[in-house]
Amino acid sequence: MITQLRRLLGRGSPAGQKSSSRERLEAAKRGALQPTLYADWGVPDTFDGRFEAVLALVSVEFARLTRDDRSAEADGLLAAFMQDVELALQSSGVSEAGMRKKMRAVETASFARVERLGKALREGSSTQVEILNSMFGGAEDASAQAKTAADRLDSLLHQLYAVDRNIEDAPALIDALGSA
């Protein structure tokens, strides 16, 4: 009965939302793992570089869902992302004792970046400084290659935020934007 009521109200089942969130996260990860980003664009091919690429694509999808008044799905996406982060931290050897503190720090920093990128997308302004700060260690001393990579990522994020795009389009857009 509750499931039928949720469907009638357009809320779907929690299991369906969880599955949808996981699918969105997997699509963001597929986009972020495109070799072109690392080999041609200059995104750092490191754990942190890949993390930031996934977070940038998750940020776009979060902003799109929020824009479209789908906040429960947006929250589910961030929850799925943080579950993956926690699993990665456990796999990397972070102790149980240190996990809570580490997760709090990662959540706080990640949510702040999601908000800053989302705000720039909503306003139609550049995300380049945020990308340079998070992926390349700062905007002031960024190399020409880092600035080019940030420009391309900014273009990708804005195109994905467009009304007729979704996170599944990331790999094709990366290919369309081409190599350096």
Side-chain angles (χ1 to χ4, degrees):
M1 172 95 169
I2 296 293
T3 302
Q4 292 171 335
L5 184 57
R6 285 179 172 274
R7 285 187 188 142
L8 180 64
L9 295 173
R11 296 202 173 117
S13 69
Q17 286 179 354
K18 188 173 185 177
S19 173
S20 174
S21 297
R22 177 63 46 198
E23 289 169 9
R24 283 187 172 90
L25 177 59
E26 293 303 319
K29 288 170 23 180
R30 280 191 301 278
L33 294 177
Q34 292 298 305
T36 300
L37 290 176
Y38 308 96
D40 298 330
W41 290 19
V43 171
D45 193 4
T46 62
F47 178 84
D48 290 342
R50 289 174 182 258
F51 174 86
E52 293 298 338
V54 172
L55 183 58
L57 294 179
V58 165
S59 297
V60 173
E61 191 67 3
F62 182 85
R64 290 180 75 249
L65 291 167
T66 303
R67 175 194 67 203
D68 298 341
D69 292 325
R70 296 163 61 191
S71 60
E73 292 173 70
D75 292 343
L77 174 62
L78 287 183
F81 175 75
M82 292 315 301
Q83 282 179 326
D84 269 18
V85 169
E86 185 172 6
L87 289 173
L89 289 173
Q90 288 171 347
S91 297
S92 71
V94 174
S95 69
E96 276 298 313
M99 182 62 73
R100 176 186 247 162
K101 185 177 180 180
K102 185 72 170 174
M103 280 301 296
R104 188 174 306 129
V106 171
E107 282 178 348
T108 301
S110 296
F111 292 164
R113 279 198 292 288
V114 166
E115 181 53 37
R116 287 189 301 267
L117 287 170
K119 181 179 181 198
L121 292 169
R122 286 188 302 275
E123 294 174 351
S125 60
S126 176
T127 61
Q128 183 189 42
V129 171
E130 183 63 32
I131 291 167
L132 288 170
N133 287 335
S134 64
M135 279 189 192
F136 298 98
E140 292 85 30
D141 299 327
S143 68
Q145 182 182 14
K147 289 179 181 178
T148 299
D151 282 341
R152 285 185 166 187
L153 286 168
D154 177 64
S155 177
L156 174 67
L157 299 182
H158 282 281
Q159 288 184 46
L160 286 170
Y161 185 70
V163 175
D164 61 339
R165 298 285 187 187
N166 72 47
I167 198 67
E168 290 288 342
D169 293 330
L173 280 172
I174 291 166
D175 288 341
L177 291 170
S179 59

